[in-house]
Amino acid sequence: MNSINKIGKFITFEGIDGAGKSTHISNVVNLIQAQGLTVVSTREPGGTPLGEKLRELVLHETMHPETETLLMFAARREHLANVIEPALARGDWVVCDRFSDATFAYQGGGRGLDKAKFAELEQWVHAHLHPDLTLLFDLPPAIAGERLAAQGRLLDRFEQERVDFHHRVRDAYLERSAAEPQRIQVINANQRPDIIKKQVEETVLRYCL
Ligand code: TMP
């Protein structure tokens, strides 16, 4: 497909584990619905029955970093074909918890794989479609780690990584936002939740509505 009848907007949320994006995703969904618009809220890896199975594998099974990357893109292809593209074609909005920027940050920055290969996969899987706006929740890994520990639940493979992994993920995200400052808006996630909420809402309204 070379073009898509895209009326709705595609918004993605990114950040290191523990950055606290979940509550703000719900707020943005409510904000968009309050404008009388239809919005599909989804996530990666996941968002389809097959994608959710792949999510279980990549979050919990030990595997080669390239296998991990390919599974992320396999889940993404399925997600685009079955959820994201149909929603945008209907004119709905799509809010997605993570997308390809996460592969650049985690598999590129965190795992140290060659990012040029991801550009090829991105070209293959979604050359025709990129987020209109990405909100990057940024905060120091030490603080994110404390937040995760306070949740007191079992951590997945990525959350269990050492702090230097999360530093590399954060740096890769910031590098990508510096390369695409218009699309990727950095939100300082080390602030009071009400201040973050206001900034997120203002950003969405400014860029998308
Ligand atoms: P979540 O917990 O925010 O839903 O994300 C699941 C984990 O998957 C998170 O630690 C980041 C990781 N991930 C990647 O490593 N690469 C990717 O392409 C995506 C979408 C997620």
Side-chain angles (χ1 to χ4, degrees), residues 25-198:
I25 292 176
S26 310
N27 288 338
V28 166
V29 168
N30 292 338
L31 176 75
I32 297 168
Q33 285 171 336
Q35 314 289 320
L37 301 164
T38 305
V39 56
V40 173
S41 181
T42 186
R43 69 173 180 180
E44 290 209 351
T48 64
L50 177 60
E52 291 295 327
K53 285 184 187 167
L54 294 173
R55 178 187 177 91
E56 275 305 301
L57 289 175
V58 290
L59 262 54
H60 301 292
E61 297 288 331
T62 305
M63 63 184 72
H64 189 280
E66 290 186 350
T67 310
E68 186 179 279
T69 304
L70 292 167
L71 289 179
M72 293 294 181
F73 271 102
R76 185 162 299 135
R77 187 70 203 99
E78 193 71 9
H79 195 203
L80 281 157
N82 293 311
V83 177
I84 299 176
E85 291 173 352
L88 293 173
R90 285 194 303 271
D92 294 350
W93 286 52
V94 175
V95 169
C96 191
D97 187 348
R98 301 192 185 281
F99 194 61
S100 289
D101 295 311
T103 318
F104 281 83
Y106 280 79
Q107 282 67 49
R111 303 276 189 235
L113 296 184
D114 179 6
K115 292 180 193 147
K117 286 188 178 165
F118 307 158
E120 282 178 33
L121 287 168
E122 200 179 32
Q123 186 68 19
W124 183 23
V125 169
H126 61 96
H128 54 291
L129 182 66
H130 297 279
D132 295 294
L133 172 67
T134 297
L135 294 156
L136 171 56
F137 281 59
D138 179 59
L139 87 169
I143 298 173
E146 284 170 17
R147 288 186 186 176
L148 283 178
Q151 290 175 13
R153 61 177 170 79
L154 282 180
L155 301 181
D156 65 42
R157 283 172 67 233
F158 297 102
E159 292 167 333
Q160 284 172 22
E161 285 288 345
R162 289 156 38 133
V163 73
D164 54 318
F165 175 91
H166 295 289
H167 275 289
R168 292 195 299 276
V169 173
R170 182 193 193 192
D171 290 348
Y173 268 133
L174 291 174
E175 195 184 301
R176 204 148 158 87
S177 77
E180 287 187 73
Q182 186 66 17
R183 172 175 71 84
I184 306 180
Q185 294 290 311
V186 181
I187 302 288
N188 174 4
N190 193 16
Q191 305 181 87
R192 283 205 332 254
D194 59 315
I195 296 176
I196 298 174
K197 180 173 187 278
K198 192 161 175 282

